[in-house]
């Protein structure tokens, strides 16, 4: 019952907090309203979280350790849900008063809406893009809305829902391999750092894929000693899960595949005898076959159209040092430029955080290399690292980015995994050393040098620290998405959601201009024309030649001229207002 209780508690905490956030009544387009909304989220988190931590601490100091272990499992599950529940609640606040999701009808959300429209109109898959998320958008729009713009309204629901359950899904995936505290220590920081509510399906699939790969490799090794029927059943279930994740978002398979493939060959029980080889081979075969059958539609599209859809979109992450993998900026990078970001650290450009992280990674590789997840993370990191520099080194010649900056996320995730597992190895080995060397001669073998009660109390205190980090980190993440009119800020996506008409043709409640809202667009998806050149995003037209090696299109020059004209008009207006005051 406890595993089921963990699942339910985590999901209820995430979705319950999200529903609670719908009662926050502020104007999200003014900064004071945004701050009040952020504060209310923290108030709710404290009211719900503090009793959980109190129960955890009480059972750590009083009562049986068995009861404490059960309490810790449920509290950790609830905290994982609350962490991304706060993030989803922030999206609820940012989009209050509008039925549209982050991005409105522009950027990547516009492509997802167009794909969902295509599904509604009976068209097949949209190129090589994973079809499951826009397909579900179409189904949900048909069921709940069934009005012009319904797919955009469905996108808002999905952005909130899948952001909320990202914490529980990540935590539960890691619970396949780790105990509650260690699963929480990976799940909360990684979910808050990597989750992007605009496209929650993308990063959510990465967060669960890594532990699933480690679990699959562990089951492959164990299948040699298990009955064939049990191995086949496990392989079929895992294949189904991998196939669904592939249709949900396939990009992470590209970066993880090289290293995991080599690791699987190394771990396969070649020398364990014919029976072991057959059972392990059957497990791997069923897993791959089931995953291939489920993911067949997308695999077919990739084989047919993959070479026809190169990625030529360049932005700030493309212009910086490709060896920098400890930070990320989107194409809405504000005032950051590749000459000034990332800021150079103290040691060969590396910051103190980078050095501490790498030190912990060294502990993981040095002390826990036999841990299946250490091997999986290390192999994935190595494969993604090589793939990153392969695509980046061919970028100037091929004039294609091929999404290589996204390896920043999976490499950073692997580093975080290795660091946490390194700390776990230090604690386990340290406690073992203490028991062997510090026990007095003639002492009762059943008596521990470090009492279990002390360990439970220390772990409870660390869970409290993770909870505090979770609330602070969630607020930081939410704050980035609060509406702003600046096109180079991440808040522009929420701002755009307030500038599109609702289903009845009126402007949203908090629209900045009640008389000038955009009409609803119901276009189907069409592949953009490929001109064979890099698109130099985030760079002024005058610098396109020196940065991307091409002339800017006329549209970019006109856009720059229009922006300069608006700036001059604003400056003239301010000068006139100052003269009037004088």
């Amino acid at each position: 019952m406890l595993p089921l209780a963990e699942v339910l508690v985590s999901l209820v905490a995430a979705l319950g907090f999200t529903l609670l956030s719908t009662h926050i009544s502020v104007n999200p387009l003014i900064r004071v309203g945004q701050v009040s909304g952020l504060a209310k989220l923290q108030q709710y988190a404290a009211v719900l979280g503090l009793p959980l931590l109190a129960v955890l601490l009480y059972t750590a100091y009083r009562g049986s350790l068995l009861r404490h272990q059960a309490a810790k499992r449920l509290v950790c599950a609830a905290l994982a849900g609350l962490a991304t529940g706060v993030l989803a609640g922030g999206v609820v606040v940012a989009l209050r008063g509008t039925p549209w999701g982050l991005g409105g009808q522009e950027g990547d959300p516009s492509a997802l809406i167009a794909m969902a429209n295509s599904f509604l109109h009976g068209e097949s898959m949209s190129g090589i893009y994973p079809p499951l998320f826009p397909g579900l958008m179409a189904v949900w729009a048909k069921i709940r809305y069934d009005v012009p713009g319904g797919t955009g309204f469905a996108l808002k629901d999905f952005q909130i829902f899948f952001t909320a359950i990202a914490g529980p899904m990540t935590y539960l995936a890691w619970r396949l391999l780790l105990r509650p505290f260690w699963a929480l220590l990976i799940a909360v920081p990684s979910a808050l750092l990597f989750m992007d509510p605009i496209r929650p399906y993308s990063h959510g699939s990465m967060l669960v894929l890594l532990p699933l790969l480690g679990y699959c490799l562990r089951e492959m090794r164990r299948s040699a000693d298990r009955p064939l029927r049990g191995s086949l059943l496990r392989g079929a279930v895992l294949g189904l899960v991998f196939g669904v994740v592939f249709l949900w978002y396939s990009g992470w398979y590209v970066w993880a595949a090289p290293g995991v493939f080599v690791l699987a060959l190394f771990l396969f029980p070649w020398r364990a005898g014919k029976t072991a080889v057959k059972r392990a081979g059957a497990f791997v075969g069923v897993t791959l076959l089931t995953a291939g059958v489920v993911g067949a539609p997308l695999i077919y599209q990739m084989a047919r159209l993959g070479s026809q859809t190169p990625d030529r979109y360049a932005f700030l992450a493309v212009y910086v040092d490709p060896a920098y993998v400890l930070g990320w900026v989107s194409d809405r990078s504000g005032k950051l430029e590749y000459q000034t970001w990332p800021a150079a650290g103290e040691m060969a450009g590396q910051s103190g955080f980078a050095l501490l992280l790498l030190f912990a990674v060294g502990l993981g590789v040095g002390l826990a290399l036999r841990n299946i997840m250490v091997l999986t993370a290390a192999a994935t990191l190595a494969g993604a690292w090589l793939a990153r520099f392969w695509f980046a080194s061919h970028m100037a010649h091929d004039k294609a980015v091929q999404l290589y900056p996204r390896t920043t996320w999976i490499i950073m995730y692997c580093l975080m995994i290795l660091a946490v597992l390194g700390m776990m190895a230090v604690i386990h080995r340290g406690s073992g050393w203490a028991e062997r060397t510090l026990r007095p001669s003639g002492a009762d073998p059943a008596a521990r040098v470090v009492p279990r009660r002390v360990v439970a109390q220390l772990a409870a205190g660390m869970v409290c620290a993770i909870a505090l980090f979770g609330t602070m980190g969630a607020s930081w993440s939410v704050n980035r998405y609060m509406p702003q009119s600046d096109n180079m800020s991440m808040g522009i996506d929420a701002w755009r959601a307030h500038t599109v008409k609702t289903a009845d043709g009126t402007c949203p409640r908090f629209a900045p201009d009640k008389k000038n809202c955009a009409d609803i667009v119901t276009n189907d998806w069409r592949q953009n024309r490929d001109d064979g050149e890099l698109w130099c995003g985030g760079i002024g037209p005058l610098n396109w030649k020196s940065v991307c090696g091409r002339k800017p299109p006329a549209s970019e020059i006109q856009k720059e001229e229009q922006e300069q004209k608006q700036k001059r008009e604003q400056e003239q207006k301010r000068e006139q207002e100052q003269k009037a005051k004088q």
Side-chain angles (χ1 to χ4, degrees), residues 46 295 313 341 345 376 537 573:
Y313 183 62
W341 186 88
T376 304
K573 184 177 180 180

Side-chain angles (χ1 to χ4, degrees), residues 244-564:
V244 171
V245 175
F246 181 74
L247 294 178
W248 196 243
Y249 191 78
S250 57
W252 309 115
Y253 286 84
V254 176
W255 312 119
V260 172
F261 175 74
V262 174
L263 178 61
L265 293 178
F266 176 78
L267 296 177
F268 194 84
W270 301 104
R271 300 181 181 180
K274 291 184 179 181
T275 302
V277 170
K278 289 181 180 179
R279 290 177 178 176
F283 170 80
V284 173
V286 170
T287 303
L288 294 177
L289 179 61
T290 308
V293 170
V294 175
L298 183 55
I299 295 174
Y300 171 74
Q301 288 288 86
M302 288 180 169
R304 188 170 68 93
L305 302 173
S307 60
Q308 302 177 19
T309 54
D311 169 39
R312 305 192 190 277
Y313 183 62
F315 58 104
L316 180 57
V318 176
Y319 314 137
V320 300
D321 177 10
Y324 180 74
V325 294
L326 296 181
W328 170 263
V329 289
S330 69
D331 54 354
R332 297 175 181 85
S333 52
K335 298 181 180 179
L336 296 176
E337 298 179 350
Y338 69 90
Q339 299 95 332
T340 57
W341 186 88
E346 302 84 359
M347 176 66 73
Q350 308 308 309
S351 65
F353 165 74
L355 297 178
L356 288 174
L357 180 66
L358 294 177
F359 175 74
V361 169
L363 293 177
V365 175
L367 299 179
L369 195 57
R370 293 185 178 183
N371 185 305
I372 190 65
M373 200 57 234
V374 170
L375 291 171
T376 304
T380 301
L381 190 156
W385 188 267
L386 292 174
R388 175 186 182 89
F389 290 106
W390 167 265
F391 288 115
S393 64
H394 287 73
M395 177 173 56
H397 181 270
D398 297 341
K399 297 181 180 179
V401 177
Q402 300 306 89
L403 299 177
Y404 88 81
R406 297 193 179 212
T407 56
T408 300
W409 287 316
I410 198 167
I411 289 173
M412 181 66 172
Y413 191 29
C414 289
L415 291 174
M416 293 171 62
I417 293 168
L418 292 172
V420 171
L421 296 180
M423 291 187 287
M424 185 176 75
V426 168
I427 291 177
H428 287 175
R429 289 205 178 193
S431 61
W433 175 85
E435 294 296 330
R436 291 191 304 271
T437 60
L438 301 181
R439 186 188 304 278
S441 59
D444 182 4
R448 292 175 58 89
V449 174
V450 181
R452 293 186 183 276
R453 178 71 65 180
V454 174
V455 175
Q457 294 167 358
L458 177 60
M462 296 307 297
V463 169
C464 294
I466 297 174
L468 182 58
F469 168 82
T471 57
M472 296 167 63
S475 187
W476 163 83
S477 184
V478 166
N479 186 48
R480 298 177 300 164
Y481 296 98
M482 288 297 168
Q484 296 183 50
S485 59
D486 182 2
N487 285 330
M488 290 303 293
S489 72
M490 296 182 70
I492 188 62
D493 290 299
W495 180 276
R496 288 170 175 169
H498 291 274
T499 62
V500 186
K501 292 179 180 178
T502 61
D504 60 5
T506 61
C507 288
R509 178 180 177 183
F510 301 107
D513 186 353
K514 293 284 188 179
K515 299 180 180 179
N516 189 26
C517 292
D519 294 326
I520 296 176
V521 178
T522 56
N523 295 333
D524 289 347
W525 183 86
R526 294 291 181 268
Q527 179 66 48
N528 293 329
R529 185 179 64 85
D530 179 25
D531 63 359
E533 297 285 345
L534 288 175
W535 181 267
C536 207
I539 298 296
L542 296 178
N543 296 323
W544 275 49
K545 188 68 176 178
S546 61
V547 175
C548 296
R550 62 164 295 186
K551 294 181 179 179
S555 60
E556 286 299 301
I557 297 176
Q558 294 173 356
K559 180 181 177 181
E560 179 75 10
E561 292 176 348
Q562 183 67 23
E563 291 178 352
Q564 293 296 332

Side-chain angles (χ1 to χ4, degrees), residues 2 56-73 448 450-460:
L2 276 177
L56 180 67
L57 291 171
Y58 178 81
T59 57
Y61 282 84
R62 295 285 187 272
S64 67
L65 288 175
L66 184 62
R67 180 182 299 175
H68 169 71
Q69 293 299 327
K72 184 167 69 173
R73 292 179 67 167
R448 292 175 58 89
V450 181
R452 293 186 183 276
R453 178 71 65 180
V454 174
V455 175
Q457 294 167 358
L458 177 60

Side-chain angles (χ1 to χ4, degrees), residues 21-22 24 26-29 33-34 36-38 40-41 88-97 160 478 482-483 498:
S21 302
T22 61
I24 298 177
V26 295
N27 182 347
L29 267 70
Q34 296 169 9
S36 293
L38 292 172
K40 199 65 176 181
L41 289 171
V91 177
V92 171
V93 173
L95 299 178
R96 182 172 182 266
I160 294 170
V478 166
M482 288 297 168
H498 291 274

